[in-house]
Amino acid sequence: MDADLLLYLVVGVALAFDFTNGFHDTANVVATSISTRALPPRVAIAIAAILNFVGAFLSLKVAATIASGIVSPGAVTLTVIFAGLVGAIVWNLVTWWLGLPSSSSHALIGGVVGAVLVSHGFHAVIGEGLLGKVIVPALIAPLLAFVVAGIGIIVAYRAVGRQRPGPVTRGFRLGQVISGGLLALAHGTNDAQKTMGIITLALVAHGELSATNPEVPTWVVVGSASAIALGTYSGGWRIIRTMGSRIIRMDAAQGFVAQTAGAAVILAATHAGFPLSTTHVINGAVMGSGAAKRLSAVRWGVAGNIAIAWVLTLPAAGLTGAAVYGFASIFGSGSTGPLIVAVLLIAGLIGLSVARVRQAANAASAANAATAAPTPEVMA
Amino acid sequence: MSIPLAEIVDSHAIVQVLWVSAAAGIGLSLVYSLAIACAARAGQQRRGGSAGAALAWSLASGVCGLLCAAAVVFGVLIMLSK
């Protein structure tokens, strides 16, 4: 009964994490299509949500890597997975609060590894898997996307030559419908599989699946696909409201090439079973297509922040996951500790939301006061 | 005991990701751009009254478009193969 309750809690938190992953990453998937006006925002978001759902069914290789290639499945308990998930969520919230562009995927893997280290020690972490299947591919992928998009845009500009801009722009906008769809498909397949892998690990820990060769159940695939698609759709409406100011300006050719390069890298890595940060890959592709045209087009400060967040995320989420496991373990091995952590997490989320709303209200009233105050010219 | 990085990293898979990403990303960008360029030239020829040349450019554009579609379908089929 106690273990069942803990399993429900872990599955619920994992699906919530998947939902927030889709919610956060909508911008990455649809931004280029919307900014170049290839698609109206509502259509772009609806297509992205549907293709995120479809993409989750394409492959299970990343889920297999998460479920059996990074930590020893036999050494994983439900409390460990819960602590890893909470560690990832807490780190995501911290980076969201500080405005750092972080990777949900790295946070999730870091959180689980940190909790496993505390619970079972170094021997339960598959070092070769962590380095060879996560760290090295995660380092290579954004650079690869940058280079592929950079060469791709040079090749594209050369190919279209001095044709009239009207038909060329229309052509690339049409191409963006396809490349944007591919990117959403790629995002769905790589990111949803991470949640599938975590839930599969939980089922192994609960004794419902074999630890030697765990297979992802169909309900896990459907649940993870639905959660990421719903998150993508929900995140989109927030983006529509903030459109126009945060998105990098790019032409249709750059948008097409960035999406194509990003999708190519993510799909190729997914097929090899590498759990990538789709955020970093898409950012790398967008920067590559911008840098090839003009180096100053790239916001190098943002690129630096991404690099800092990349280095910090795995160890920081690991420390958070370890701390959560340590705290939950104080209350024994049952569901009491995780339940207390869940209540604290919800309370923290409410507190953060209230603080954010207050901050926004203060900023709005300060802006209103500034516009209402008479200017020196008027006073004169 | 230290394990060499080459043994830890699946270099075969990494190399495969590198060349497949480059071939797909750059190849699709090139072929689709050629499709657009050929379609634009077809339009020019049509306006200039050269129906034959317009047809030839349109055909070239269509072939490039079909190549792109085939590449996308092939990629998805590869993903579906277990």
Side-chain angles (χ1 to χ4, degrees), chain A residues 36 61 65 74 82 96 98 101 103 113 166 182 221 237 244 254 287 304 306 309 321 349 375 380:
Chain A
T36 61
K61 287 182 179 172
T65 301
F82 177 81
W96 167 73
L98 297 174
S103 159
V113 169
L182 269 179
V221 179
W237 303 117
Q254 286 174 303
M287 283 181 206
I306 290 170
L349 280 172
T375 60

Side-chain angles (χ1 to χ4, degrees), chain A residues 129-197:
Chain A
L130 184 62
L131 188 65
K133 294 210 166 199
V134 178
I135 295 176
V136 172
L139 185 67
I140 291 172
L143 297 173
L144 178 62
F146 182 92
V147 172
V148 170
I151 298 172
I153 194 65
I154 292 168
V155 165
Y157 283 147
R158 286 264 172 149
V160 293
R162 294 180 182 275
Q163 301 298 327
R164 290 192 312 134
V168 169
T169 302
R170 279 196 297 277
F172 278 120
R173 279 183 184 159
L174 182 67
Q176 272 197 277
V177 176
I178 310 295
S179 61
L182 269 179
L183 191 59
L185 203 71
H187 179 261
T189 188
N190 200 288
D191 276 17
Q193 282 191 63
K194 287 155 196 158
T195 307
M196 291 178 207

Side-chain angles (χ1 to χ4, degrees), chain A residues 58 128 131 136 140 144 148 151 155-156 159-160 163-164 168 171-172 174-175 256-257 260 264-265 267-268 271-272 274, chain B residues 3 5 8-9 13-14 17-18 21-22 24-26 28-30 32-33 36-37 40-41 44 47 78-82:
Chain A
L58 279 187
E128 295 91 338
L131 188 65
V136 172
I140 291 172
L144 178 62
V148 170
I151 298 172
V155 165
V160 293
Q163 301 298 327
R164 290 192 312 134
V168 169
F172 278 120
L174 182 67
F256 169 78
V257 170
T260 305
V265 172
L267 286 174
H271 191 61
F274 296 143
Chain B
I3 305 167
L5 191 65
I8 295 170
V9 177
I14 295 269
V17 170
L18 287 175
S21 304
I26 299 167
L28 269 174
S29 299
L30 171 66
Y32 189 77
S33 304
I36 293 173
R41 278 180 184 267
Q44 279 175 357
R47 281 189 297 277
I78 293 273
M79 290 296 299
L80 287 171
S81 67
K82 306 291 177 196

Side-chain angles (χ1 to χ4, degrees), chain B residues 29-73:
Chain B
S29 299
L30 171 66
V31 178
Y32 189 77
S33 304
L34 286 174
I36 293 173
C38 291
R41 278 180 184 267
Q44 279 175 357
Q45 297 295 337
R46 209 173 295 118
R47 281 189 297 277
S50 312
L55 181 67
W57 283 115
S58 297
L59 274 174
S61 176
V63 168
C64 289
L66 280 175
L67 276 174
C68 287
V72 170
V73 171

Side-chain angles (χ1 to χ4, degrees), chain A residues 219-235:
Chain A
W219 69 265
V220 175
V221 179
V222 174
S224 304
S226 306
I228 200 165
L230 277 172
T232 304
Y233 194 70
S234 312

Side-chain angles (χ1 to χ4, degrees), chain A residues 42 87 146 167 174 192 249 255 303 357:
Chain A
R42 284 168 199 274
F146 182 92
L174 182 67
R249 285 202 170 275
V357 168

Side-chain angles (χ1 to χ4, degrees), chain A residues 346-358:
Chain A
I346 292 166
L349 280 172
I350 293 168
L352 268 180
S353 305
V354 169
R356 225 6 166 200
V357 168
R358 278 191 188 156

